Coordinates of all heavy atoms in Angstrom, one line a residue:
Q1 N 170.8 34.9 231.6 CA 172.2 35.4 231.8 C 172.6 34.7 233.1 O 171.9 35.0 234.1 CB 172.3 36.9 231.7 CG 173.5 37.4 232.1 CD 173.7 38.8 232.2 OE1 172.8 39.5 231.8 NE2 174.7 39.4 232.9
K2 N 173.7 34.0 233.1 CA 174.3 33.6 234.4 C 175.1 34.7 234.9 O 175.7 35.5 234.3 CB 175.2 32.4 234.1 CG 174.4 31.1 233.6 CD 175.3 30.1 233.5 CE 174.6 28.8 233.0 NZ 175.5 27.6 232.9
I3 N 175.0 34.7 236.3 CA 175.8 35.8 237.1 C 176.8 35.0 237.9 O 176.5 34.0 238.6 CB 174.9 36.5 238.1 CG1 173.8 37.3 237.1 CG2 175.7 37.6 238.9 CD1 172.7 38.0 237.9
R4 N 178.1 35.4 237.7 CA 179.2 34.8 238.5 C 180.0 35.9 239.1 O 180.2 37.0 238.5 CB 180.1 34.0 237.5 CG 179.3 32.8 237.0 CD 180.2 32.1 236.1 NE 179.5 31.0 235.5 CZ 179.8 29.8 235.4 NH1 181.0 29.3 236.0 NH2 179.1 28.8 234.8
A5 N 180.4 35.7 240.4 CA 181.3 36.6 241.0 C 182.1 35.8 241.9 O 181.8 34.9 242.6 CB 180.4 37.6 241.9
T6 N 183.4 36.2 242.0 CA 184.4 35.6 242.7 C 184.6 36.4 244.1 O 184.8 37.6 244.0 CB 185.7 35.5 242.1 OG1 185.6 34.7 240.9 CG2 186.8 34.7 243.0
I7 N 184.3 35.8 245.2 CA 184.4 36.5 246.5 C 185.2 35.6 247.5 O 185.1 34.4 247.4 CB 183.1 37.0 247.0 CG1 182.1 35.7 247.3 CG2 182.3 38.0 246.2 CD1 181.1 36.0 248.2
P8 N 185.8 36.2 248.5 CA 186.4 35.4 249.5 C 185.4 34.6 250.2 O 184.3 35.1 250.5 CB 187.0 36.5 250.4 CG 187.1 37.7 249.6 CD 186.0 37.7 248.6
S9 N 185.8 33.3 250.6 CA 184.9 32.5 251.2 C 184.5 33.0 252.6 O 183.3 32.6 253.1 CB 185.4 31.0 251.3 OG 186.6 31.1 252.1
T10 N 185.3 33.9 253.2 CA 184.9 34.4 254.4 C 183.8 35.4 254.4 O 183.2 35.7 255.5 CB 186.2 35.1 255.1 OG1 186.7 36.1 254.2 CG2 187.3 34.0 255.4
L11 N 183.5 35.8 253.3 CA 182.5 36.9 253.1 C 181.1 36.3 252.6 O 180.1 36.9 252.5 CB 182.8 38.0 252.2 CG 184.1 38.8 252.5 CD1 184.4 39.8 251.4 CD2 183.7 39.5 253.9
K12 N 181.1 34.9 252.2 CA 179.9 34.4 251.6 C 178.6 34.5 252.5 O 177.6 34.7 252.0 CB 180.1 33.0 251.1 CG 180.3 31.9 252.2 CD 180.5 30.6 251.7 CE 180.5 29.6 252.8 NZ 180.8 28.3 252.4
N13 N 178.8 34.4 253.8 CA 177.7 34.4 254.7 C 177.1 35.9 254.9 O 176.1 36.2 255.5 CB 177.9 33.8 256.1 CG 178.1 32.4 255.8 OD1 177.5 31.7 255.0 ND2 178.9 31.7 256.7
D14 N 178.0 36.9 254.4 CA 177.6 38.3 254.7 C 177.1 39.0 253.4 O 176.8 40.2 253.5 CB 178.8 39.1 255.2 CG 179.3 38.6 256.6 OD1 178.5 38.2 257.4 OD2 180.5 38.6 256.8
L15 N 177.0 38.3 252.4 CA 176.4 38.8 251.1 C 175.0 39.3 251.3 O 174.2 38.6 252.0 CB 176.5 37.8 249.9 CG 177.8 37.5 249.3 CD1 177.5 36.5 248.3 CD2 178.4 38.7 248.7
K16 N 174.5 40.3 250.6 CA 173.2 40.7 250.6 C 172.7 40.7 249.2 O 173.5 41.3 248.3 CB 172.9 42.0 251.3 CG 173.1 42.0 252.8 CD 172.7 43.5 253.3 CE 172.8 43.5 254.8 NZ 172.5 44.8 255.3
V17 N 171.6 40.1 248.8 CA 171.0 40.1 247.6 C 169.7 40.7 247.6 O 168.9 40.2 248.4 CB 171.0 38.7 246.9 CG1 170.4 38.7 245.6 CG2 172.4 38.1 246.9
Q18 N 169.4 41.7 246.8 CA 168.0 42.3 246.8 C 167.5 42.7 245.4 O 168.4 42.8 244.6 CB 168.0 43.5 247.7 CG 168.9 44.6 247.4 CD 168.8 45.7 248.5 OE1 168.4 45.5 249.5 NE2 169.4 46.8 248.1
V19 N 166.3 42.6 245.3 CA 165.6 43.0 244.0 C 165.0 44.4 244.2 O 164.4 44.6 245.1 CB 164.5 42.0 243.6 CG1 163.7 42.5 242.4 CG2 165.2 40.6 243.3
I20 N 165.3 45.3 243.3 CA 164.8 46.7 243.4 C 163.8 46.8 242.2 O 164.3 46.6 241.0 CB 165.9 47.7 243.4 CG1 166.9 47.4 244.5 CG2 165.4 49.1 243.4 CD1 168.2 48.2 244.4
Y21 N 162.6 47.3 242.5 CA 161.7 47.6 241.4 C 160.7 48.5 241.9 O 160.5 48.7 243.1 CB 161.0 46.2 240.8 CG 160.1 45.5 241.8 CD1 158.8 45.8 241.8 CD2 160.6 44.8 242.9 CE1 157.9 45.2 242.7 CE2 159.8 44.2 243.7 CZ 158.4 44.3 243.6 OH 157.6 43.8 244.6
S22 N 160.0 49.1 240.9 CA 158.8 50.0 241.3 C 157.5 49.2 241.1 O 157.3 48.7 240.0 CB 158.8 51.2 240.4 OG 160.0 52.1 240.6
G23 N 157.0 48.8 242.1 CA 155.8 47.9 242.0 C 154.5 48.5 242.4 O 154.5 49.6 242.9
P24 N 153.4 47.9 242.1 CA 153.4 46.7 241.3 C 153.6 46.7 239.9 O 153.4 47.9 239.3 CB 151.9 46.1 241.6 CG 151.2 47.4 241.8 CD 152.1 48.4 242.5
I25 N 154.2 45.7 239.4 CA 154.5 45.7 238.0 C 153.2 45.4 237.3 O 152.6 44.4 237.5 CB 155.6 44.8 237.6 CG1 156.9 45.0 238.4 CG2 155.9 44.7 236.2 CD1 158.0 44.0 238.4
K26 N 152.9 46.3 236.3 CA 151.6 46.2 235.6 C 151.8 45.8 234.1 O 152.7 46.2 233.5 CB 150.9 47.4 235.7 CG 150.4 47.8 237.1 CD 149.6 49.0 237.1 CE 149.2 49.4 238.5 NZ 148.3 50.5 238.6
A27 N 150.9 44.9 233.6 CA 150.9 44.7 232.3 C 150.3 45.8 231.5 O 149.6 46.6 232.0 CB 150.0 43.3 232.0
P28 N 150.6 45.9 230.2 CA 151.4 45.0 229.4 C 152.9 45.1 229.5 O 153.4 46.2 229.9 CB 151.1 45.4 228.0 CG 150.8 46.9 228.0 CD 150.2 47.1 229.3
I29 N 153.6 43.9 229.5 CA 155.1 43.9 229.7 C 155.6 43.2 228.4 O 155.1 42.1 228.0 CB 155.5 43.1 230.9 CG1 154.9 43.8 232.1 CG2 157.0 43.0 231.0 CD1 155.0 43.0 233.4
K30 N 156.6 43.8 227.8 CA 157.3 43.1 226.6 C 158.4 42.2 227.1 O 159.0 42.5 228.0 CB 157.8 44.2 225.6 CG 156.7 45.1 225.0 CD 157.3 46.0 224.1 CE 156.3 47.0 223.7 NZ 156.9 48.3 223.1
Q31 N 158.6 41.1 226.4 CA 159.7 40.2 226.6 C 161.0 41.0 226.6 O 161.2 41.8 225.7 CB 159.7 39.0 225.7 CG 160.8 38.0 225.9 CD 160.7 36.9 225.0 OE1 159.9 36.9 223.9 NE2 161.4 35.8 225.4
R32 N 161.8 40.7 227.5 CA 163.2 41.4 227.7 C 163.0 42.8 228.1 O 164.1 43.5 228.2 CB 164.0 41.3 226.3 CG 164.3 39.8 225.9 CD 165.3 39.8 224.8 NE 165.4 38.4 224.4 CZ 164.7 37.9 223.4 NH1 163.8 38.6 222.7 NH2 164.8 36.7 223.0
E33 N 161.9 43.3 228.5 CA 161.8 44.7 229.0 C 162.3 44.7 230.4 O 162.1 43.7 231.2 CB 160.3 45.1 229.0 CG 160.1 46.4 229.7 CD 158.6 46.8 229.6 OE1 157.7 46.1 229.0 OE2 158.2 47.7 230.5
Q34 N 163.1 45.7 230.7 CA 163.6 45.7 232.2 C 162.6 46.1 233.1 O 161.9 47.1 233.0 CB 164.9 46.7 232.2 CG 165.4 46.7 233.6 CD 166.7 47.5 233.8 OE1 167.4 47.8 232.8 NE2 167.1 47.7 235.0
I35 N 162.5 45.2 234.1 CA 161.4 45.4 235.1 C 162.0 45.7 236.6 O 161.3 46.0 237.5 CB 160.4 44.3 235.2 CG1 161.0 43.0 235.4 CG2 159.6 44.3 233.9 CD1 160.1 41.8 235.6
G36 N 163.3 45.6 236.7 CA 163.9 45.8 237.9 C 165.4 45.6 237.8 O 165.9 45.6 236.7
T37 N 166.0 45.6 239.0 CA 167.5 45.4 239.1 C 167.7 44.4 240.1 O 167.2 44.5 241.3 CB 168.2 46.8 239.4 OG1 167.8 47.7 238.4 CG2 169.7 46.6 239.5
L38 N 168.7 43.6 240.0 CA 169.3 42.6 241.0 C 170.4 43.3 241.4 O 171.3 43.7 240.7 CB 169.6 41.3 240.4 CG 170.1 40.2 241.3 CD1 169.2 39.9 242.4 CD2 170.7 39.1 240.6
Q39 N 170.6 43.4 242.8 CA 171.7 44.0 243.5 C 172.4 43.1 244.4 O 171.7 42.5 245.2 CB 171.3 45.2 244.3 CG 172.3 46.2 244.6 CD 171.7 47.4 245.2 OE1 171.2 47.4 246.4 NE2 172.0 48.6 244.6
I40 N 173.6 42.9 244.3 CA 174.5 42.0 245.1 C 175.5 42.8 245.9 O 176.3 43.5 245.1 CB 175.2 40.9 244.3 CG1 174.3 40.0 243.5 CG2 176.0 40.0 245.3 CD1 174.8 39.1 242.5
I41 N 175.3 43.0 247.1 CA 176.1 43.8 248.0 C 177.2 43.0 248.6 O 176.8 42.0 249.5 CB 175.3 44.6 249.0 CG1 174.1 45.3 248.3 CG2 176.1 45.5 249.9 CD1 173.1 45.8 249.2
I42 N 178.4 43.2 248.3 CA 179.5 42.4 248.9 C 180.2 43.4 250.0 O 180.6 44.4 249.6 CB 180.6 42.1 247.8 CG1 179.9 41.4 246.7 CG2 181.7 41.2 248.4 CD1 180.7 41.1 245.5
P43 N 180.3 42.9 251.3 CA 181.0 43.6 252.2 C 182.4 43.9 251.9 O 183.1 43.1 251.3 CB 180.9 42.7 253.5 CG 179.9 41.6 253.2 CD 179.9 41.6 251.7
R44 N 182.8 45.1 252.1 CA 184.2 45.6 251.9 C 184.5 45.4 250.3 O 185.7 45.2 250.0 CB 185.1 45.0 252.7 CG 184.9 45.3 254.2 CD 185.9 44.6 255.1 NE 186.0 43.2 255.1 CZ 185.2 42.4 255.7 NH1 184.1 42.9 256.4 NH2 185.3 41.1 255.6
G45 N 183.5 45.5 249.5 CA 183.8 45.2 248.1 C 182.7 46.0 247.3 O 181.9 46.8 247.9
P46 N 182.6 45.8 245.9 CA 181.7 46.5 245.1 C 180.3 46.0 245.3 O 180.1 44.9 245.8 CB 182.2 46.2 243.7 CG 182.8 44.9 243.9 CD 183.5 44.9 245.3
T47 N 179.4 46.9 244.9 CA 178.0 46.4 244.7 C 177.7 46.2 243.3 O 178.0 47.1 242.5 CB 177.0 47.6 245.4 OG1 177.2 47.7 246.7 CG2 175.5 47.1 245.1
L48 N 177.3 44.9 243.0 CA 177.1 44.5 241.6 C 175.6 44.7 241.4 O 174.7 44.4 242.2 CB 177.5 43.1 241.5 CG 178.9 42.7 241.9 CD1 179.1 41.1 241.8 CD2 180.0 43.5 241.1
E49 N 175.4 45.2 240.1 CA 173.9 45.3 239.8 C 173.7 44.8 238.3 O 174.6 44.9 237.4 CB 173.6 46.8 239.7 CG 173.5 47.5 241.1 CD 172.9 48.9 241.1 OE1 172.7 49.4 239.9 OE2 172.7 49.4 242.1
F50 N 172.6 44.1 238.2 CA 172.2 43.5 236.9 C 170.8 43.7 236.6 O 169.9 43.7 237.5 CB 172.5 41.9 237.1 CG 173.8 41.5 237.4 CD1 174.3 41.4 238.8 CD2 174.8 41.3 236.4 CE1 175.5 41.1 239.1 CE2 176.1 41.0 236.8 CZ 176.4 40.7 238.1
P51 N 170.5 44.0 235.3 CA 169.1 44.3 235.0 C 168.2 43.0 235.1 O 168.8 41.9 234.7 CB 169.2 44.8 233.5 CG 170.5 44.3 233.0 CD 171.4 44.1 234.3
L52 N 167.0 43.2 235.5 CA 166.1 42.0 235.6 C 165.0 42.3 234.4 O 164.5 43.3 234.3 CB 165.3 41.9 236.9 CG 166.2 41.5 238.1 CD1 165.3 41.6 239.4 CD2 166.7 40.1 237.9
Q53 N 165.0 41.3 233.6 CA 164.1 41.4 232.4 C 163.0 40.5 232.4 O 163.2 39.3 232.9 CB 165.0 41.3 231.2 CG 166.0 42.3 231.0 CD 166.9 42.1 229.8 OE1 167.1 40.9 229.3 NE2 167.6 43.1 229.3
A54 N 161.9 40.8 231.8 CA 160.7 39.9 231.7 C 161.2 38.8 230.8 O 161.7 38.9 229.7 CB 159.6 40.7 231.1
G55 N 160.8 37.6 231.2 CA 161.2 36.3 230.5 C 160.1 36.2 229.3 O 160.5 35.4 228.4
K56 N 159.0 36.7 229.4 CA 158.0 36.6 228.3 C 157.1 37.8 228.3 O 157.1 38.6 229.3 CB 157.2 35.2 228.4 CG 156.4 35.2 229.6 CD 155.6 33.9 229.6 CE 154.6 33.9 230.8 NZ 153.8 32.6 230.8
S57 N 156.5 38.0 227.2 CA 155.5 39.2 227.1 C 154.2 38.8 227.9 O 153.8 37.6 227.8 CB 155.2 39.5 225.6 OG 156.3 39.9 225.0
I58 N 153.7 39.8 228.5 CA 152.4 39.7 229.3 C 151.4 40.8 228.7 O 151.8 41.8 228.7 CB 152.6 39.9 230.8 CG1 153.7 38.9 231.3 CG2 151.2 39.7 231.5 CD1 153.3 37.5 231.4
D59 N 150.3 40.2 228.2 CA 149.3 41.1 227.6 C 148.5 41.7 228.7 O 148.3 41.1 229.8 CB 148.4 40.4 226.7 CG 149.1 40.0 225.4 OD1 149.9 40.7 225.0 OD2 148.7 38.9 224.9
E60 N 148.0 42.9 228.6 CA 147.0 43.5 229.6 C 145.8 42.6 229.5 O 145.2 42.2 228.5 CB 146.8 44.9 229.1 CG 146.1 45.7 230.2 CD 145.9 47.2 229.9 OE1 146.3 47.6 228.7 OE2 145.7 48.0 230.7
L61 N 145.2 42.5 230.8 CA 143.9 41.7 230.9 C 142.8 42.6 230.5 O 142.8 43.9 230.6 CB 143.7 41.3 232.3 CG 144.7 40.2 232.8 CD1 144.4 39.9 234.3 CD2 144.6 38.9 232.1
G62 N 141.7 42.1 230.1 CA 140.5 42.8 229.8 C 139.8 43.1 231.1 O 140.2 42.7 232.1
F63 N 138.6 43.9 231.0 CA 137.9 44.4 232.2 C 137.4 43.2 233.1 O 137.6 43.2 234.2 CB 136.7 45.2 231.7 CG 135.9 45.6 232.9 CD1 136.4 46.7 233.7 CD2 134.7 45.0 233.1 CE1 135.5 47.0 234.8 CE2 133.8 45.4 234.3 CZ 134.3 46.4 235.1
I64 N 136.9 42.2 232.5 CA 136.4 41.1 233.2 C 137.5 40.3 234.0 O 137.4 40.0 235.1 CB 135.5 40.2 232.4 CG1 134.2 41.0 232.0 CG2 135.0 38.9 233.2 CD1 133.2 40.3 231.0
A65 N 138.4 40.0 233.1 CA 139.6 39.2 233.8 C 140.3 40.0 234.8 O 140.7 39.5 235.9 CB 140.6 38.8 232.6
T66 N 140.4 41.3 234.6 CA 141.0 42.2 235.7 C 140.2 42.1 236.9 O 140.7 42.1 238.1 CB 141.2 43.7 235.2 OG1 142.0 43.6 234.1 CG2 141.8 44.5 236.2
T67 N 138.9 42.3 236.8 CA 138.0 42.3 238.0 C 138.0 41.0 238.7 O 138.1 41.0 239.9 CB 136.5 42.6 237.5 OG1 136.6 43.9 236.8 CG2 135.5 42.7 238.7
L68 N 138.0 39.9 238.0 CA 138.1 38.6 238.7 C 139.4 38.3 239.4 O 139.4 37.8 240.4 CB 137.9 37.4 237.6 CG 136.5 37.3 237.0 CD1 136.4 36.2 235.9 CD2 135.5 37.0 238.1
T69 N 140.5 38.8 238.8 CA 141.8 38.7 239.4 C 141.8 39.5 240.7 O 142.3 39.0 241.7 CB 142.9 39.2 238.4 OG1 142.9 38.2 237.3 CG2 144.3 39.0 239.1
K70 N 141.4 40.7 240.6 CA 141.4 41.6 241.9 C 140.5 40.9 243.0 O 140.7 40.9 244.1 CB 140.9 43.0 241.5 CG 141.8 43.7 240.8 CD 141.3 45.1 240.4 CE 142.3 45.9 239.6 NZ 141.8 47.2 239.3
F71 N 139.4 40.4 242.5 CA 138.4 39.7 243.5 C 139.1 38.5 244.2 O 139.1 38.3 245.4 CB 137.2 39.3 242.7 CG 136.1 38.7 243.7 CD1 135.5 39.6 244.6 CD2 135.7 37.5 243.7 CE1 134.5 39.2 245.5 CE2 134.7 37.0 244.5 CZ 134.1 37.9 245.4
K72 N 139.9 37.7 243.4 CA 140.5 36.5 243.9 C 141.6 37.0 244.9 O 141.8 36.4 246.0 CB 141.3 35.7 242.9 CG 140.3 34.9 242.1 CD 141.1 34.1 240.9 CE 140.2 33.3 240.1 NZ 141.0 32.6 239.2
M73 N 142.3 38.2 244.6 CA 143.4 38.7 245.4 C 142.7 39.2 246.8 O 143.3 38.9 247.9 CB 144.1 39.7 244.8 CG 145.0 39.3 243.7 SD 145.9 40.6 242.8 CE 146.8 41.3 244.1
I74 N 141.6 39.8 246.7 CA 141.0 40.2 247.9 C 140.6 39.1 248.9 O 140.7 39.1 250.0 CB 139.7 41.1 247.6 CG1 140.1 42.4 247.0 CG2 138.9 41.3 248.9 CD1 139.0 43.2 246.3
L75 N 140.1 37.9 248.3 CA 139.8 36.8 249.0 C 141.0 35.9 249.4 O 140.8 35.0 250.1 CB 138.8 35.9 248.1 CG 137.4 36.6 247.9 CD1 136.6 35.6 247.0 CD2 136.7 36.9 249.1
G76 N 142.2 36.4 249.0 CA 143.4 35.6 249.3 C 143.5 34.3 248.5 O 144.2 33.4 248.9
K77 N 142.7 34.2 247.4 CA 142.7 32.9 246.6 C 143.7 33.0 245.5 O 143.7 32.0 244.7 CB 141.3 32.8 246.0 CG 140.2 32.7 247.0 CD 140.2 31.4 247.8 CE 139.0 31.3 248.7 NZ 138.9 30.1 249.4
G78 N 144.5 34.0 245.3 CA 145.4 34.0 244.2 C 146.3 35.1 244.2 O 146.3 35.9 245.1
T79 N 147.1 35.1 243.2 CA 148.1 36.2 243.0 C 147.8 36.7 241.6 O 147.1 36.1 240.8 CB 149.6 35.6 243.1 OG1 149.7 34.7 242.0 CG2 149.8 35.0 244.4
P80 N 148.4 37.8 241.3 CA 148.2 38.4 239.9 C 148.5 37.5 238.8 O 147.9 37.6 237.8 CB 149.1 39.7 239.9 CG 149.2 40.1 241.4 CD 149.2 38.7 242.1
S81 N 149.4 36.6 239.0 CA 149.8 35.6 237.9 C 148.8 34.4 237.8 O 149.0 33.7 236.8 CB 151.2 35.2 238.1 OG 151.4 34.4 239.2
Q82 N 148.0 34.2 238.7 CA 147.1 33.1 238.7 C 145.8 33.4 238.0 O 145.2 34.5 238.1 CB 146.7 32.5 240.0 CG 148.0 31.9 240.8 CD 147.7 31.4 242.0 OE1 146.8 31.9 242.8 NE2 148.5 30.4 242.4

């Protein structure tokens, strides 16, 4: 989904954009499941909110894959998606 908002050019440098979620986000996750909210804060204007949805389904990892992923993270060799 494209997000468009018309704002005065004098405010463009004062916009705040943030992602709000309860983390860490854990699998399993279904495609299009809401996993957070995108918030656009416009000074002297409304705060816009849009749902953030998973782009694809993510299955839960098995015991061995979970253990290896955690070990890589401890060593700084990866992220949960690697």
Side-chain angles (χ1 to χ4, degrees):
Q1 171 185 348
K2 291 184 180 182
I3 298 172
R4 295 177 186 234
T6 303
I7 60 163
S9 61
T10 56
L11 298 178
K12 70 179 183 180
N13 293 328
D14 297 326
L15 284 179
K16 287 186 181 181
V17 178
Q18 58 188 13
V19 173
I20 300 169
Y21 68 98
S22 297
I25 299 169
K26 294 184 180 182
I29 300 170
K30 295 178 186 168
Q31 185 175 13
R32 296 187 189 92
E33 178 180 341
Q34 184 171 344
I35 56 174
T37 302
L38 176 69
Q39 194 174 67
I40 302 172
I41 303 163
I42 303 171
R44 299 181 300 281
T47 295
L48 307 175
E49 292 188 350
F50 302 92
L52 291 177
Q53 299 176 336
K56 65 179 183 176
S57 294
I58 304 293
D59 294 327
E60 189 170 14
L61 295 175
F63 175 76
I64 293 174
T66 300
T67 302
L68 288 173
T69 299
K70 288 180 180 179
F71 188 66
K72 286 181 182 179
M73 288 176 63
I74 290 170
L75 295 176
K77 302 281 184 181
T79 64
S81 62
Q82 292 181 330

